[in-house]
Amino acid sequence: VTADVPSDFTGDLVNTATVTAPAGVTDSNTANNTDTETDTQDSQADLAIDKASTPDVYVPGQGVTWTIVVTNDGPSDVTGALVNDAFNASLTNVSWTAVATGSASVVNASGTGDLVDESVSIDAGAGNYVTYTVTADVPSDFTGDLVNTATVTAPAGVTDSNTANNTDTETDTQDSQAD
């Protein structure tokens, strides 16, 4: 017997097979006529995060915008993934919004300060993703590279088959402009 398990199935998969003797036949040992197989759940996903900034070269005293896209290449659906992005403490007016596409969902659609979203759900497959848009102001006296890293972490009970794509670091160099 072969069957496909839906990507959103949760819990143990329990199946029982039974054999019964036909009429006129006496079964001398019915204790072995039933067998139950229980398979525990081992959800597996491939969560990925991609981050880009606008502009690629920041200007002190102006704003910067990051776009962060979180996907799940499956094969299992994920409920309760953690998306995290801690921003440079020098930045001001840091705010973010989240837009879920397809059968993805978030509980928190917006926030201020560091991005910590512990409620991301993304079904497996193309067309299901969450896009975060983060805006921040760069102080006029800020110098050096502006380095920022976003991560996605699978929830307990889900094995991520490729954690190499769970982190993305964006490094923006400085473009000082004066008038």
Side-chain angles (χ1 to χ4, degrees):
V1 176
T2 61
D4 293 329
V5 179
S7 61
D8 62 348
F9 187 86
T10 59
D12 291 344
L13 185 58
V14 181
N15 185 266
T16 302
T18 304
V19 64
T20 304
V25 176
T26 303
D27 188 342
S28 62
N29 181 8
T30 58
N32 63 358
N33 289 10
T34 301
D35 188 26
T36 299
E37 175 70 21
T38 301
D39 296 321
T40 57
Q41 181 177 352
D42 181 22
S43 292
Q44 297 181 7
D46 181 13
L47 295 173
I49 197 162
D50 184 49
K51 183 171 188 168
S53 65
T54 306
D56 288 332
V57 177
Y58 77 91
V59 177
Q62 294 185 359
V64 64
T65 300
W66 287 283
T67 303
I68 303 163
V69 179
V70 182
T71 59
N72 175 13
D73 289 332
S76 303
D77 294 350
V78 172
T79 300
L82 168 65
V83 175
N84 193 340
D85 196 341
F87 300 99
N88 185 301
S90 297
L91 297 175
T92 59
N93 301 317
V94 178
S95 64
W96 54 269
T97 59
V99 176
T101 302
S103 59
S105 67
V106 295
V107 173
N108 302 312
S110 63
T112 59
D114 292 343
L115 170 58
V116 180
D117 196 349
E118 300 172 340
S119 59
V120 178
S121 298
I122 305 176
D123 288 354
N128 305 314
Y129 55 92
V130 176
T131 302
Y132 293 91
T133 302
V134 181
T135 59
D137 293 331
V138 181
S140 59
D141 62 348
F142 190 86
T143 59
D145 289 346
L146 184 56
V147 181
N148 186 257
T149 301
T151 61
V152 60
T153 306
V158 176
T159 301
D160 193 325
S161 61
N162 178 15
T163 57
N165 60 5
N166 290 26
T167 300
D168 194 6
T169 299
E170 181 73 18
T171 302
D172 300 321
T173 57
Q174 181 177 354
D175 180 16
S176 296
Q177 296 181 359
D179 185 18

